[in-house]
Amino acid sequence: MLSYQATKILSYYQDLDLSKWGYGKKNLSVKAKKLKDDEKNVATPLKRKQDVPTCHLEKKRLPLMNYTSHERRYNWTSRRPEFSENYPCDIRSLGNEEKRELLANIEQAVAFVTTMIFQDGSSQLNSEQALTSSVKGIVILVKNQTDRLCSPSYSSSDRIRNAADERDKLIYLKTECSSLWEQEEQAHKKFAWRVLFQMMRRKVPVICFNAKDFLRTVLQIYGNEISWKQVADSVVLDPRIAAWLINPSDTVPSFECLTEKYFEKSFSMETENTDTGTLRNASVSSLRLLLLADTDAYSYLALQVQGLWKLFCTLELPLIKILAGMKPAQNKTLHLFHTALRLKELEQEAHQIAGERFLLTSSSQLREVIFILLLLTKLSLSKLQDLHPLPKIMLEYRQGFISSTWNQTGTVTGRISSKHPNIQGISKHPVRIVKKQYIKGKEEEIVTISPRALFVSKKGYTFLAADFSHIELRILADLSSEPELLKLFQEPETTDIFTTLASQWKGIPSEEVKQADREQAKRVVYSVVYGAGKERLAECLGITPLQASHFIESFMQKYKKVNEFTKKTIEQCRTKGYVVSIMGRKRPLANINAQDYKLRTQAERQAVNFVVQGSAADLCKMAMVEIFTSVVTSPTLTARLIAQIHDELLFEVEDSQIQEFSETLVKFESHDYFKLTSIRNILHYNLSI
DNA sequence: TCTATTCCGGACCCA
DNA sequence: GTGGGTCCGGAA
């Protein structure tokens, strides 16, 4: 009934062929054999950071980027030669002829390796991610076709002298605008835009560590010139995502850590020049970018060996661009606040009162702000100074938009996480706020407010929420092949699924199922699946543990295959050391064979949960990719993703396109799970597919 | 001994 | 029972 074929995903990555870029097939298979042995390491008890296949010296000889003797560069014990000519060339210093040459170069490049440079001189490759520092520029290594490495005349000494091929170009694009109004600056920006535009238009790899941040920045800076649809055209590769797939529990591997893991020795950057004012302090040399390219290449080797390649190409890589192009949501209250702030006197007051510093990123503090705004509408503005002190940081939120950060590698199960604020954690239900007023003689005021309703779409646009219905239960039904459970989903969804389930389970007509029965059924299902004990279930349901265990037993009796499924999953995990989702996502569970009962049973629950939760994440990502590609390839559609709440996708759709967009959704392969539930703001409808 | 920062567990929200 | 983020207060 349900098919999990992922092969039909329309994606630019579909035809991703390593050999085209010098990942020789011959080499691959040889290396693959060696890696196979390492694969076993996954299941062995981990020293925490070492659950990535360890690499040995010979693996340094990577087939990528055509340097036969480049391993010499990884001889860390020897002194690194100076590569002064390999520091970036600022494109502003180029003459017209050189610019033309560069563009021609880009047209023929086989790959690009790139990183952002921050204000403080650090790059994306530095371990301390400079979150405070803003972006200063972009360094790009333009790799050109060089087949001559096959030629024996190209000696290693040549290679050492020119770490990068001489036809490779290392360029620097300044992005910070000091004096935007100057004509010269404008011309530079335009040329930088052209370089980036052409780079992304080419269907060759753009290798970047933390590619999402890179793309987002590009969109931010050149938002007027480069649309998110054009960014979607690029073929970005991110070794960090690869590393996360191989070892999902290591959620923040730095570039240094990765090179250490893959190439054994750490690559010290002590020789980096710290001068200021010159481009040398860009802390990026072609050497470093080549190392990034090699890290990238090595990751893919490991991905292929572990069977993660397809998952990587069909889901994770396209997702980078989707997350990069996600639109910040406009918040009604912040917008109002902005409007209010525009009033001159109020702005002054705001500055005066501002003393207490707090972030808007927390929901409770957000509520405070909301409350202030509610008061604003009721009270005269002159009384504002008597109210809560206003945060300075508020000024940053003037536009009234909330843009949270979406993290692709933040979970072990393959789900996406969000922070600042955590949009996925915003309360669904109305919140009660009791606020003391600092105005003499006024009583306390209670306000209820629905935090989600505060997000509003642009004028002329509508929020469209599309979500999976009971996705985890469906996956469970499918994976366990439990006939009774499958029957639930074969019938058209006329009544509530848990009501039907309760009637089926208890053998009573669905009309007689009470709310309490339904609740029980729901709880029991999830408890049994995820291995909750009778005590926990009893606590949830407000019954005695004895009654709870009766429930569990009768459920197991009725749906035998579910129990078989969990047992099978655990068994498989014991022998292999890891569990696999429907799309082949892996989670190593070292404790599955532990002596300690507590640790072992926890690993068992995690194993079962991963298969279900991870598979659900896979399907949701598939939907995201499919919807995204169909919007991108459509000449008319402009729908943009606002948020992803695990099994729900929130889009902002042009009013005139609602029909067309809805029809697009219907086509998806995952449609067995997918349905539109609601469209806020204007429309409300329920569409069962 | 006091103050300031950092860390960690627990509580809450979400799926 | 699993997977997240954020807040808070107490310990270091």
Side-chain angles (χ1 to χ4, degrees):
Chain A
M1 162 183 148
L2 307 170
S3 75
Y4 296 123
Q5 298 164 12
T7 49
K8 291 196 318 202
I9 293 181
L10 290 169
S11 148
Y12 296 120
Y13 294 103
Q14 193 177 27
D15 302 317
L16 209 56
D17 179 6
L18 288 174
S19 60
K20 267 196 287 195
W21 310 326
Y23 296 70
K25 284 248 162 71
K26 215 178 3 174
N27 282 327
L28 265 176
S29 55
V30 174
K31 304 296 173 189
K33 263 187 197 165
K34 291 179 178 168
L35 272 168
K36 272 263 157 66
D37 304 328
D38 296 324
E39 199 185 2
K40 291 173 195 153
N41 291 345
V42 169
T44 57
L46 314 168
K47 279 187 214 158
R48 182 136 177 96
K49 274 188 175 174
Q50 295 198 335
D51 31 356
V52 154
T54 44
C55 318
H56 304 294
L57 281 168
E58 64 270 26
K59 282 168 197 147
K60 287 176 190 168
R61 292 198 195 91
L62 294 169
L64 176 78
M65 300 309 183
N66 56 53
Y67 18 75
T68 45
S69 59
H70 85 290
E71 69 269 22
R72 288 285 300 274
R73 293 191 289 107
Y74 295 134
N75 191 355
W76 281 278
T77 49
S78 73
R79 271 180 82 128
R80 215 176 95 215
E82 280 301 317
F83 295 105
S84 52
E85 72 274 28
N86 287 321
Y87 282 94
C89 158
D90 193 327
I91 57 163
R92 284 175 303 177
S93 66
L94 298 176
N96 283 340
E97 192 52 46
E98 289 167 312
K99 283 184 179 176
R100 259 195 296 279
E101 196 188 315
L102 176 62
L103 289 177
N105 233 297
I106 289 172
E107 276 309 305
Q108 294 188 351
V110 291
F112 302 92
V113 193
T114 184
T115 184
M116 294 192 289
I117 306 295
F118 300 107
Q119 227 29 273
D120 62 2
S122 66
S123 76
Q124 288 180 290
L125 303 180
N126 289 85
S127 46
E128 337 73 51
Q129 277 297 307
L131 283 171
T132 47
S133 199
S134 60
V135 179
K136 188 165 80 177
I138 294 166
V139 174
I140 304 169
L141 178 69
V142 183
K143 284 295 297 179
N144 280 296
Q145 198 87 51
T146 45
D147 292 322
R148 84 176 92 155
L149 60 142
C150 305
S151 138
S153 66
Y154 198 67
S155 71
S156 58
S157 59
D158 287 339
R159 176 55 74 186
I160 295 270
R161 201 170 51 75
N162 289 325
D165 187 277
E166 67 228 18
R167 279 194 284 165
D168 293 347
K169 286 221 159 62
L170 188 64
I171 54 169
Y172 175 75
L173 277 62
K174 183 167 169 273
T175 56
E176 56 173 351
C177 35
S178 45
S179 47
L180 193 71
W181 307 113
E182 279 177 31
Q183 215 165 15
E184 207 178 314
E185 285 281 332
Q186 285 287 10
H188 164 251
K189 191 182 174 185
K190 199 176 166 189
F191 184 66
W193 158 72
R194 247 187 110 177
V195 167
L196 286 169
F197 182 74
Q198 284 204 29
M199 177 177 86
M200 293 192 294
R201 219 182 43 154
R202 299 281 323 281
K203 295 280 201 302
V204 296
V206 177
I207 299 164
C208 181
F209 193 78
N210 278 344
K212 191 211 74 185
D213 295 343
F214 173 80
L215 293 180
R216 243 193 129 70
T217 307
V218 168
L219 280 173
Q220 204 186 321
I221 297 169
Y222 302 98
N224 296 327
E225 295 89 355
I226 302 176
S227 79
W228 59 280
K229 277 200 177 191
Q230 285 162 338
V231 165
D233 248 10
S234 62
V235 180
V236 289
L237 301 178
D238 191 337
R240 192 186 177 184
I241 306 276
W244 168 70
L245 280 184
I246 293 161
N247 179 213
S249 47
D250 191 3
T251 53
V252 253
S254 69
F255 178 62
E256 260 98 0
C257 284
L258 284 190
T259 54
E260 231 171 281
K261 275 175 185 168
Y262 293 161
F263 305 114
E264 282 189 340
K265 297 266 166 77
S266 83
F267 191 82
S268 165
M269 301 314 292
E270 83 285 349
T271 51
E272 291 302 339
N273 200 319
T274 49
D275 287 353
T276 50
T278 66
L279 276 174
R280 288 196 174 204
N281 72 340
S283 85
V284 167
S285 61
S286 56
L287 200 63
R288 202 141 151 81
L289 287 174
L290 283 171
L291 184 63
L292 173 62
D294 286 351
T295 306
D296 192 62
Y298 187 78
S299 311
Y300 302 154
L301 221 55
L303 284 177
Q304 295 219 332
V305 170
Q306 298 217 19
L308 293 164
W309 181 245
K310 193 173 154 190
L311 172 69
F312 182 69
C313 293
T314 55
L315 284 190
E316 303 298 346
L317 285 181
L319 253 173
I320 295 172
K321 298 180 290 188
I322 298 176
L323 296 187
M326 278 175 79
K327 194 177 176 287
Q330 189 167 27
N331 187 286
K332 205 193 284 177
T333 58
L334 289 177
H335 179 68
L336 278 172
F337 188 77
H338 170 47
T339 319
L341 262 189
R342 288 189 78 92
L343 300 168
K344 210 175 101 197
E345 52 202 289
L346 193 59
E347 188 153 20
Q348 283 172 352
E349 297 281 18
H351 278 96
Q352 270 184 11
I353 302 166
E356 192 176 322
R357 206 183 128 85
F358 57 83
L359 291 168
L360 271 180
T361 54
S362 75
S363 49
S364 71
Q365 281 160 355
L366 195 62
R367 273 179 229 140
E368 300 246 356
V369 175
I370 291 160
F371 182 78
I372 294 169
L373 287 161
L374 289 173
L375 285 182
L376 264 180
T377 56
K378 290 177 187 168
L379 300 170
S380 70
L381 296 175
S382 61
K383 288 186 181 175
L384 183 76
Q385 54 190 325
D386 294 320
L387 299 175
H388 196 282
L390 296 167
K392 268 184 200 162
I393 201 154
M394 206 63 127
L395 300 176
E396 291 177 32
Y397 287 80
R398 284 178 159 216
Q399 337 83 308
F401 286 92
I402 290 182
S403 58
S404 73
T405 313
W406 299 91
N407 190 354
Q408 197 173 343
T409 59
T411 67
V412 282
T413 52
R415 299 223 286 209
I416 295 166
S417 74
S418 92
K419 61 180 182 184
H420 303 293
N422 179 7
I423 289 191
Q424 295 170 325
I426 290 173
S427 183
K428 225 177 170 178
H429 307 292
V431 187
R432 260 204 157 75
I433 304 152
V434 182
K435 182 74 184 177
K436 284 195 213 94
Q437 287 186 30
Y438 302 128
I439 303 161
K440 48 262 157 192
K442 276 232 170 181
E443 73 283 1
E444 288 187 354
E445 203 172 332
I446 299 172
V447 193
T448 60
I449 197 154
S450 178
R452 284 199 185 185
L454 296 172
F455 290 89
V456 291
S457 58
K458 216 158 65 174
K459 205 174 159 94
Y461 289 74
T462 293
F463 277 165
L464 187 150
D467 74 352
F468 287 91
S469 91
H470 309 112
I471 183 166
E472 297 200 347
L473 199 53
R474 283 176 198 256
I475 285 169
L476 181 70
D478 190 56
L479 291 179
S480 65
S481 314
E482 167 55 52
E484 293 294 313
L485 225 44
L486 284 169
K487 225 161 70 183
L488 275 181
F489 295 111
Q490 275 162 1
E491 294 155 21
E493 231 175 285
T494 45
T495 51
D496 175 77
I497 197 80
F498 287 109
T499 307
T500 319
L501 186 77
S503 98
Q504 192 188 62
W505 174 31
K506 300 197 168 185
I508 50 175
S510 54
E511 303 84 51
E512 287 174 29
V513 174
K514 289 169 192 147
Q515 195 57 35
D517 296 317
R518 183 193 174 276
E519 198 60 23
Q520 274 184 358
K522 190 176 170 180
R523 298 271 191 205
V524 170
V525 167
Y526 289 113
S527 301
V528 170
V529 174
Y530 301 134
K534 54 179 190 283
E535 289 83 7
R536 178 87 177 117
L537 180 62
E539 195 190 320
C540 270
L541 248 45
I543 55 175
T544 68
L546 186 66
Q547 285 173 302
S549 66
H550 285 322
F551 275 156
I552 294 172
E553 261 174 51
S554 84
F555 185 86
M556 294 271 206
Q557 199 61 30
K558 177 84 185 175
Y559 308 101
K560 287 195 181 76
K561 289 227 167 182
V562 173
N563 199 21
E564 282 175 27
F565 162 73
T566 60
K567 278 184 178 160
K568 220 169 67 190
T569 304
I570 293 166
E571 191 49 45
Q572 180 202 319
C573 187
R574 282 204 185 112
T575 54
K576 289 186 175 173
Y578 59 84
V579 270
V580 186
S581 76
I582 52 174
M583 288 292 290
R585 190 184 305 279
K586 282 181 182 176
R587 176 170 185 189
L589 285 161
N591 286 334
I592 197 72
N593 289 314
Q595 300 290 319
D596 189 319
Y597 172 83
K598 213 177 161 186
L599 287 177
R600 193 177 65 248
T601 49
Q602 185 190 30
E604 287 172 0
R605 290 190 296 269
Q606 288 171 324
V608 176
N609 179 269
F610 174 84
V611 176
V612 180
Q613 194 187 113
S615 299
D618 289 349
L619 280 176
C620 193
K621 283 179 168 177
M622 276 172 64
M624 288 172 79
V625 171
E626 291 194 34
I627 293 167
F628 185 74
T629 47
S630 66
V631 168
V632 165
T633 50
S634 158
T636 50
L637 287 176
T638 58
R640 284 187 74 177
L641 191 60
I642 302 279
Q644 190 256 32
I645 308 122
H646 303 128
D647 63 352
E648 174 184 337
L649 302 174
L650 184 65
F651 295 95
E652 191 178 71
V653 189
E654 262 181 68
D655 289 344
S656 59
Q657 295 179 7
I658 290 172
Q659 188 60 35
E660 189 189 351
F661 184 68
S662 305
E663 282 163 11
T664 311
L665 295 183
V666 179
K667 296 175 198 156
F668 299 128
E669 153 183 50
S670 52
H671 64 78
D672 282 335
Y673 293 107
F674 213 63
K675 72 168 191 176
L676 290 172
T677 50
S678 62
I679 296 178
R680 287 216 295 273
N681 291 359
I682 299 175
L683 299 166
H684 292 273
Y685 66 83
N686 229 303
L687 224 172
S688 273
I689 298 166

